[in-house]
């Protein structure tokens, strides 16, 4: 199982009193079961962080699922470890005190030098090289090993045997690399320094488990497993006069950190920093250090430089750096929602679905603010609310699914009216049979739908949306939009390829013309590049006369010598051509992007910040919404200044904020335009409301003219299409 901060992580046990039909939340890759959604969300967010380590390979910076995949692949490679090398490898591993890298080097050197039974390699026979397999290893004679080998044919069948010397073998590389060997060592041991293999492997391959003499007294056993006795280290307190003079340092090896805070004068620090990177094992004595040829890396604690860090990394690990730009303070999002905070997510879900599939629902689009006010209103027959329910219920009936069967059994008429819509809604609630919602059926039947709390209204609408998404009509619409988006994307790619092709062809033609007139090319070298770029936008224009016109101009220049005047005219024509073709290219690109945006399938978040807050932008609402990591808090930014401050606060050294900033940069112009448009609309509505308040009571406008009450005058203009 993956490690959390290099330590084992235990999975949760399933609830003992779990009922067969109980609704629960389950994590796909761990099979953990949760009753509480917030606990499930907390655990899944933990698994998504890049803080996990693959137990087999030792590699870190994984999510939990990525670490699982890494362990699976590494285990598959470990299982392919050659059988003939297992015993000598395990013998070398058992009770070794070497660091992992040194242990790997030692094992590879031993296996390369010594030949074991079962090994397949190449041997010399009758002056030729043949494949062979070692059957038996004899005792060394006169310092040279003797081996009985079986000669193998092309089908790996034995064609004969012979006794050969070590000099008759042709050496070749081992059939595995360093990483596989490291993974095998980790997989076959349960502790390091000393390395101790699992008891089942020791008994299977006959590896001695007796403690070596040099380790007796240093290790002990607990429940049959080796543990290492840790002796308490004594440290001397630094003298007051020298306090602050010594640089605290830590020396990092592959198996941990060794610290020395009490060395005087810091002489060894300068010595070790001058050594090459191929040093590792060391012994500290008084004021100096004896260094042996292994591998270490020195890290000075006071050194805050991050040259060794490869960005981006997990946002929580990013530390302020001296070369960082000045980040702006992140603005506090507005939270002035009319509805309860924990219901904002459901409100956005229902509104976004109704807006995205409005034509399929025959439902005239409405703003998010109007929808929010309508849900909180106490009127039981508010047009906006009634039409929203009726459109969703009508879609379920047209799909001819389970709800259609229920309506047929009750002999309901296919037409939903302002008077009968609650009957159809109650039939739906009885069909889904959710206890939390079924208790409100009597209230709805008595005509008091408006008295329901907004969270209950949204829960009903959310269930309607969930049922609508599963219908064949919606799925067919999604498939249709997918095909249209793919067609538009293919057109966009094709135009880009054609543009590049025409650009290259035009560049070659203009280069040939310029070479024929060296004076023009020398005096106006930028013209060729400009026209070449223009050709990429619309090569047909150059192909149908523009190139010929430019060529004639250049010929006139070379014949008459009037290079200054002609070059000026050539630049003007080139500039005009460049502007026209760039404009047509941008217009075509904008057209394709707008057409793809019209065929929306679902709204994806822009990204997350370092605290896992999600950011959303919806096409029909000029705000950037902010969702907390636990989905309990919502806010929004509604002006361009707040958007700029948000982007200025993002640190690109973090993975999440880097991706979020990239998305905001991509859609910056579009979001800014919507934010500015919204600001103007708010200012206009405020001016109208102020004008209404300033009027006298005698000439005051009726309430319907107030912009804040516009949701009361909603009319479904597409309802007639159902006739």
């Amino acid at each position: 199982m993956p490690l959390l901060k290099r330590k084992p992580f235990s999975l949760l046990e399933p609830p003992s009193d779990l009922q067969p039909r109980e609704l629960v939340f389950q994590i796909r890759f761990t099979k953990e079961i949760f009753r509480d959604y917030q606990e499930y969300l907390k655990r899944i967010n933990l698994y998504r962080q890049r803080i996990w380590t693959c137990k087999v390979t030792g590699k870190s910076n994984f999510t939990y699922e990525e670490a699982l995949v890494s362990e699976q692949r590494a285990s598959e490679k470990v299982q392919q470890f050659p059988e003939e090398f297992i015993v000598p490898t395990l013998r070398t591993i058992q009770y070794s005190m070497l660091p992992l890298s040194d242990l790997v080097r030692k094992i590879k050197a031993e296996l390369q030098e010594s030949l074991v039974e079962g090994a397949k390699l190449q041997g010399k026979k009758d002056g030729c090289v043949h494949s062979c397999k070692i059957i038996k290893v004899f005792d060394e004679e006169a310092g040279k090993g003797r081996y009985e080998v079986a000669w193998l044919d092309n089908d790996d069948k034995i064609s004969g045997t012979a006794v050969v010397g070590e000099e008759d073998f042709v050496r070749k590389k081992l059939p595995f690399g360093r990483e596989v060997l490291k993974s095998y060592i980790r997989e076959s041991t349960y502790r390091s320094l000393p390395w101790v293999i699992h008891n089942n492997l020791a008994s299977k391959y006959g590896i001695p488990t007796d403690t070596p003499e040099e380790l007796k007294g240093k290790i002990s056993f607990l429940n049959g497993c080796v543990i290492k006795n840790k002796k308490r280290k004594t440290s001397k307190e630094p003298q007051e006069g020298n306090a602050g003079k010594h640089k605290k340092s830590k020396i990092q090896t592959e198996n941990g950190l060794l610290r020395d805070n009490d060395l005087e004068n810091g002489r060894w620090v300068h010595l070790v920093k001058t050594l090459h990177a191929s040093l590792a094992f060391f012994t500290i004595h008084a004021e100096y250090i004896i260094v042996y040829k292994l591998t270490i890396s020195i890290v000075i604690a006071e050194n805050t430089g991050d040259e060794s860090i490869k960005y981006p990394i997990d946002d929580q690990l990013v530390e302020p750096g001296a070369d960082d730009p000045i980040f702006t303070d992140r603005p506090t999002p507005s939270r002035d929602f009319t509805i309860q905070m924990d219901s904002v997510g459901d409100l956005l879900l229902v509104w976004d679905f109704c807006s995205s599939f409005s034509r399929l629902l025959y439902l005239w689009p409405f703003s998010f603010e109007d929808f929010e006010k309508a849900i909180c209103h106490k009127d039981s027959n508010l047009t906006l609310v009634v039409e929203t329910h009726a459109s969703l219920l009508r879609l379920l009936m047209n799909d001819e699914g389970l709800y259609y069967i229920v309506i047929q059994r009750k002999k309901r008429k296919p037409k939903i009216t302002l008077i009968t819509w609650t009957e159809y809604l109650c039939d739906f609630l009885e069909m889904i049979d959710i206890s939390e919602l079924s208790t409100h059926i009597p209230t709805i039947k008595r005509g008091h739908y408006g008295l329901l709390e907004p969270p209950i209204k949204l829960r009903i609408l959310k269930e309607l949306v969930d049922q609508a998404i599963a219908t064949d009509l919606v799925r067919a619409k999604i498939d249709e939009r997918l095909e249209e988006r793919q067609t538009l994307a293919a057109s966009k790619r094709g135009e880009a390829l054609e543009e590049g092709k025409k650009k290259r062809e035009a560049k070659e033609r203009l280069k040939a013309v310029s070479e024929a007139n060296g004076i023009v090319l020398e005096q106006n070298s930028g013209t060729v590049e400009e026209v070449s770029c223009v050709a990429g936008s619309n090569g047909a224009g150059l192909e149908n006369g523009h190139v010929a016109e430019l060529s004639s101009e250049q010929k006139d220049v070379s014949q008459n010598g009037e290079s200054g005047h002609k070059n000026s005219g050539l630049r003007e024509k080139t500039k005009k051509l460049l502007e026209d073709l760039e404009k047509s290219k941008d217009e075509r690109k904008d057209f394709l992007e707008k057409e793809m945006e019209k065929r929306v399938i679902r709204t994806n978040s822009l990204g997350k910040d370092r605290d896992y807050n999600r950011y959303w932008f919806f096409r029909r609402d000029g705000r950037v919404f902010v969702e907390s990591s636990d989905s309990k808090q919502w806010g929004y930014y509604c002006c361009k200044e707040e958007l700029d401050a948000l982007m200025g606060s993002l640190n690109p050294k973090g993975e999440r904020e880097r991706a979020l900033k990239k998305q905001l940069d991509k859609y910056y112009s579009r979001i800014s335009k919507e934010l500015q448009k919204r600001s103007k609309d708010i200012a206009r509505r405020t001016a109208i409301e102020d004008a209404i308040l300033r009027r006298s009571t005698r000439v005051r406008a009726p309430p319907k003219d107030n912009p804040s009450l516009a949701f009361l005058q909603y009319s479904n203009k597409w309802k007639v299409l159902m006739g």
Side-chain angles (χ1 to χ4, degrees), residues 511-630:
K511 184 178 179 182
V513 173
S514 300
E515 289 177 352
N517 188 354
I519 299 176
V520 174
L521 180 61
E522 183 178 355
Q523 295 180 354
N524 191 21
S525 58
T527 304
V528 176
E529 289 297 327
E530 287 182 347
V531 180
S532 299
C533 295
V534 174
S537 303
N538 192 348
L542 293 176
E543 198 170 354
N544 294 330
H546 291 290
V547 173
E549 184 178 353
L550 294 177
S551 301
S552 62
E553 293 282 353
Q554 291 176 339
K555 289 179 181 178
D556 292 340
V557 171
S558 61
Q559 291 175 1
N560 300 327
E562 301 175 355
S563 58
H565 175 72
K566 296 298 183 179
N567 285 343
S568 177
L570 182 62
R571 290 194 196 97
E572 292 178 359
K573 291 183 179 181
T574 302
K575 184 177 180 180
K576 184 178 179 181
L577 180 61
L578 177 65
E579 292 176 353
D580 293 342
L581 296 182
E582 285 293 335
K583 183 178 179 181
S584 62
K585 182 184 72 172
D586 293 339
E587 290 177 351
R588 178 62 178 171
K589 184 178 179 181
D590 293 341
F591 170 76
L592 290 175
E593 290 179 354
K594 289 180 180 179
E595 289 298 315
M596 292 183 68
E597 290 176 1
K598 291 179 182 178
R599 291 152 178 82
V600 61
I601 299 172
R602 66 175 183 180
T603 303
N604 295 319
S605 67
L606 295 169
K608 303 177 184 177
D609 60 16
R610 62 177 292 126
D611 299 320
Y612 293 94
N613 298 320
R614 293 184 182 88
Y615 292 78
W616 301 83
F617 178 74
F618 300 92
R619 293 194 310 135
R620 297 174 179 85
D621 189 273
R623 288 179 286 185
V624 176
F625 288 87
V626 187
E627 176 190 8
S628 63
S629 58
D630 57 1

Side-chain angles (χ1 to χ4, degrees), residues 418-456:
L418 186 65
I419 299 175
T420 62
W421 75 277
T422 53
E423 298 177 1
Y424 293 85
L425 180 59
C426 292
D427 294 339
F428 173 77
L429 295 178
E430 292 173 356
M431 180 191 76
I432 60 177
D433 192 20
I434 298 177
S435 58
E436 182 183 354
L437 302 179
S438 299
T439 56
H440 301 284
I441 293 178
T443 303
I444 298 174
K445 285 185 176 180
R446 289 195 299 268
H448 301 307
Y449 170 85
L451 299 179
L452 298 179
E453 292 296 324
I456 300 299

Side-chain angles (χ1 to χ4, degrees), residues 4 31 117 151 208 248 406 458 488 498 535 544 553 564 578 593 598 616 624 644-645 680 687 691:
L4 178 61
K31 307 304 180 185
E117 293 182 3
W151 302 108
K248 295 182 180 180
V406 172
L458 283 175
L488 290 170
E498 187 67 21
N544 294 330
E553 293 282 353
L578 177 65
E593 290 179 354
K598 291 179 182 178
W616 301 83
V624 176
D644 294 337
K680 292 180 181 178

Side-chain angles (χ1 to χ4, degrees), residues 373-381 449-454 457:
K373 293 174 182 177
I375 291 295
C376 296
H377 204 268
K378 297 299 183 181
D379 190 352
S380 297
N381 288 322
Y449 170 85
L451 299 179
L452 298 179
E453 292 296 324
K457 296 179 182 178

Side-chain angles (χ1 to χ4, degrees), residues 485-505:
R485 287 176 64 91
Q486 290 173 356
T487 303
L488 290 170
S491 300
K492 193 174 180 181
R493 289 193 300 269
E495 290 184 2
L497 293 173
E498 187 67 21
E499 177 184 339
K501 181 181 178 182
K502 292 179 178 179
K503 181 178 178 180
R504 290 191 298 271
E505 293 177 352

Side-chain angles (χ1 to χ4, degrees), residues 370-420:
D370 288 348
F371 188 48
E372 181 183 13
K373 293 174 182 177
I375 291 295
C376 296
H377 204 268
K378 297 299 183 181
D379 190 352
S380 297
N381 288 322
L382 198 63
T383 304
L384 193 154
V385 175
V386 173
E387 289 297 334
T388 302
H389 285 82
S391 298
L392 292 169
L393 292 170
R394 193 181 299 116
L395 177 68
L396 296 179
M397 285 192 297
N398 293 339
D399 190 61
E400 298 184 357
L402 181 59
Y403 181 69
Y404 175 78
I405 297 174
V406 172
I407 297 301
Q408 290 293 320
R409 288 177 181 174
K410 293 194 175 185
K411 298 181 179 179
R412 302 278 189 200
K413 295 181 179 180
K415 186 176 182 180
I416 302 176
T417 65
L418 186 65
I419 299 175
T420 62

